[in-house]
Amino acid sequence: IGDEPYSESLVLPALITLLANKKPIDVLIIGGGDLGVAEVLTRFPKDCVRSITLVELDSKVIELSKKYLKEMHKDCWKDERVRIVIMDCRMFLKEAIRDGKRFDLVIVDLPDPKDDLSATMYSLEFYNTIYDVLSDDGIMVTQATSADYALGYKTYAVIVKTLESSKFEIVRPYRYYVPSFGMWGFAMASKRYDPLKLSRSEITSILKGIEVHTYDADMHFAMFSLPPWLKKAIDTADINTVDRPIIVS
């Protein structure tokens, strides 16, 4: 299975929520230089996923991934829908908003926040910028660090709390067991569509004919079930802003 528990968990709940309501969609990946997220997206036909734009800061990451991570990306970058842009994501978002470019789904697959600079990619301001680059019924989803009782969850709580304080109308945190990481946290934020309002039959229908190993209709709803200690941590967490970055060691 390899990377799939992580990449499928990051992509599929949000993607399926959108496809149950509209298609085709245009997707923006922020980060994701290992190309695992792009690979999951390219499993879907063009009448579902129309375009995939991946914005990565470091071209070397892309080149190394192409060379050494073929088992993960399966040469998905050769798909005509995939466009790779080497650029600071903050500048890309600023220019896209200025030019009126909009995406239906934004997937944030960036390294964990370890310092003040990386924390800006998990800030209230950053999430509100993503809100502005989304279509009127768009969704964003982000990897959100460990959500594991033993291995750590405080950063996850801060990320979710920050999203809950943003412009997004619906925020749904969730998690999934990733063998390399333990229980890993994710968070979805939506302008209109609620992932918990889907029916099992809708999910199953969209997935028909798609190769998926770690996600189905039952897992979709199970992923959003958080334990009481994690809900409490989110409720009491601080909000991460550019001026007041919250770095949890």
Side-chain angles (χ1 to χ4, degrees), residues 18 22 25 46 63 66 73 114 130 165 179 206 242:
L18 264 178
K22 67 182 298 186
I25 65 169
K46 295 176 184 177
E63 295 309 313
K66 287 180 179 180
H73 62 65
K114 298 297 186 183
I130 291 176
S165 303
I206 295 168
V242 170

Side-chain angles (χ1 to χ4, degrees), residues 107-241:
I107 301 172
V108 183
D109 186 16
L110 292 170
D112 295 354
K114 298 297 186 183
D115 52 39
D116 286 0
L117 179 60
S118 58
T120 63
M121 310 299 184
Y122 295 85
S123 67
L124 181 66
E125 293 87 349
F126 188 68
Y127 294 144
N128 283 337
T129 298
I130 291 176
Y131 183 98
D132 291 340
V133 84
L134 283 167
S135 56
D136 290 341
D137 53 357
I139 293 177
M140 75 149 280
V141 62
T142 183
Q143 84 86 5
T145 77
S146 173
D148 192 292
Y149 188 86
L151 301 177
Y153 57 88
K154 292 183 179 178
T155 298
Y156 178 71
V158 169
I159 292 170
V160 175
K161 185 72 170 185
T162 302
L163 262 178
E164 289 178 343
S165 303
S166 71
K167 297 178 182 178
F168 285 96
E169 287 79 358
I170 299 166
V171 176
R172 297 295 187 197
Y174 63 99
R175 59 185 197 150
Y176 194 88
Y177 180 75
V178 178
S180 303
F181 306 141
M183 289 300 294
W184 202 253
F186 306 88
M188 187 191 309
S190 175
K191 289 187 174 183
R192 184 176 303 174
Y193 307 124
D194 188 340
L196 298 183
K197 297 289 178 66
L198 299 184
S199 68
R200 281 173 168 77
S201 61
E202 283 179 305
I203 297 170
T204 301
S205 176
I206 295 168
L207 289 174
K208 186 176 181 181
I210 306 294
E211 184 179 356
V212 178
H213 297 103
T214 65
Y215 170 89
D216 62 12
D218 290 333
M219 285 308 308
H220 177 89
F221 296 100
M223 293 164 80
F224 291 96
S225 181
L226 302 185
W229 55 265
L230 190 51
K231 293 178 182 177
K232 182 178 179 181
I234 293 168
D235 288 342
T236 58
D238 293 319
I239 298 168
N240 179 42
T241 65

Side-chain angles (χ1 to χ4, degrees), residues 51-69:
S51 70
I52 303 162
T53 303
L54 188 153
V55 179
E56 169 62 54
L57 180 63
D58 190 347
S59 62
K60 291 181 181 179
V61 172
I62 299 293
E63 295 309 313
L64 288 171
S65 297
K66 287 180 179 180
K67 186 174 182 180
Y68 296 110
L69 299 179

